[in-house]
Amino acid sequence: MSAAPHDELTGPYHYPVPPPEGWVAEDLDRLPDLPRHTELIDGSLVFMSPQRKFHTRVMWLLERALLTHLPHGLDVDREMSIRLDSRNRPEPDLLVYRVEADTGADQTWYAPEDVILAVEVVSPDSVDRDRDVKPRKYAAAGIGHFWRVEANEDGLPVVYVYELDPALKAYTPTGIHHNKLKLNVPFPLEADLTEIYNRGR
């Protein structure tokens, strides 16, 4: 995995050298030439590997389902970061947020109190972050709902659904969904998970 922008992989690239105390959330907006979808975890920059088709199609499928069922006052975005604190600005694959938190076309992050749901689609290089590090941080920040999506042996998505226990500031698993996702919280929603590769066919 390279930190260099894709079109500069064959040329020299100067990797950003962190300050002694590590990077802060605002650095993601001002460091030049960062790769797309760079995250900040515990003051360190995390670079994403190229997405697999599974990852892209899960995002399409769930975004479509969310947009179909979103109640008034909520919206959904892909790959927007959440500023959890000065040293953590992860970027979930999808998030549902309160519309009043939308500040316009130049916005690059949301505050955790405005986020209703964070969704992570697990990639080979993100297993530990998506199963452990990021959900712990989302829960500690008070984000009420978290979904983790992984591929089963047939290449179909399995959605692991979690809800925040506010007393513990930790997620409680509420379901593992194969083939069909059907939920009542954070709002009623249904999605046929077997349709992941059937778009337009």
Side-chain angles (χ1 to χ4, degrees):
M1 177 167 47
S2 172
H6 182 70
D7 58 356
E8 296 180 12
L9 289 177
T10 56
Y13 180 75
H14 299 286
Y15 291 86
V17 178
E21 67 279 5
W23 302 109
V24 295
E26 291 74 21
D27 290 327
L28 291 186
D29 295 322
R30 58 191 179 213
L31 282 169
D33 300 323
L34 283 179
R36 293 179 64 222
H37 311 306
T38 300
E39 298 182 292
L40 184 72
I41 305 292
D42 293 329
S44 297
L45 299 176
V46 177
F47 307 111
M48 308 295 179
S49 292
Q51 290 183 356
R52 299 178 301 155
K53 185 172 186 177
F54 171 80
H55 194 281
T56 301
R57 286 301 181 93
V58 167
M59 289 171 59
W60 163 78
L61 181 71
L62 293 181
E63 182 181 40
R64 185 178 66 167
L66 288 165
L67 286 170
T68 299
H69 296 91
L70 279 177
H72 179 74
L74 298 180
D75 204 347
V76 60
D77 272 336
R78 289 184 178 208
E79 300 167 328
M80 284 283 287
S81 61
I82 306 172
R83 190 188 188 282
L84 302 181
D85 55 45
S86 65
R87 292 171 52 81
N88 288 279
R89 201 171 131 188
E91 182 185 286
D93 293 301
L94 293 163
L95 58 78
V96 174
Y97 62 95
R98 295 180 178 87
V99 293
E100 60 265 25
D102 189 335
T103 63
D106 293 329
Q107 185 169 3
T108 58
W109 55 269
Y110 292 100
E113 58 267 25
D114 294 316
V115 178
I116 305 299
L117 166 69
V119 182
E120 296 288 357
V121 182
V122 177
S123 298
D125 73 316
S126 71
V127 172
D128 291 338
R129 291 193 305 276
D130 291 344
R131 288 181 177 177
D132 179 40
V133 177
K134 292 169 81 171
R136 279 193 291 105
K137 291 182 180 295
Y138 293 150
I143 295 171
H145 299 271
F146 173 70
W147 300 351
R148 189 184 79 248
V149 187
E150 302 196 24
N152 68 13
E153 60 276 6
D154 297 318
L156 295 176
V158 179
V159 182
Y160 299 82
V161 175
Y162 300 84
E163 188 170 346
L164 182 67
D165 181 332
L168 299 177
K169 285 282 189 168
Y171 287 125
T172 297
T174 60
I176 302 174
H177 299 262
H178 304 261
N179 297 324
K180 186 174 184 178
L181 177 65
K182 186 174 182 179
L183 301 171
N184 291 317
V185 292
F187 44 82
L189 177 143
E190 290 189 26
D192 184 350
L193 302 176
T194 67
E195 290 294 307
I196 181 173
Y197 301 116
N198 294 335
R199 183 175 63 189
R201 298 180 186 176

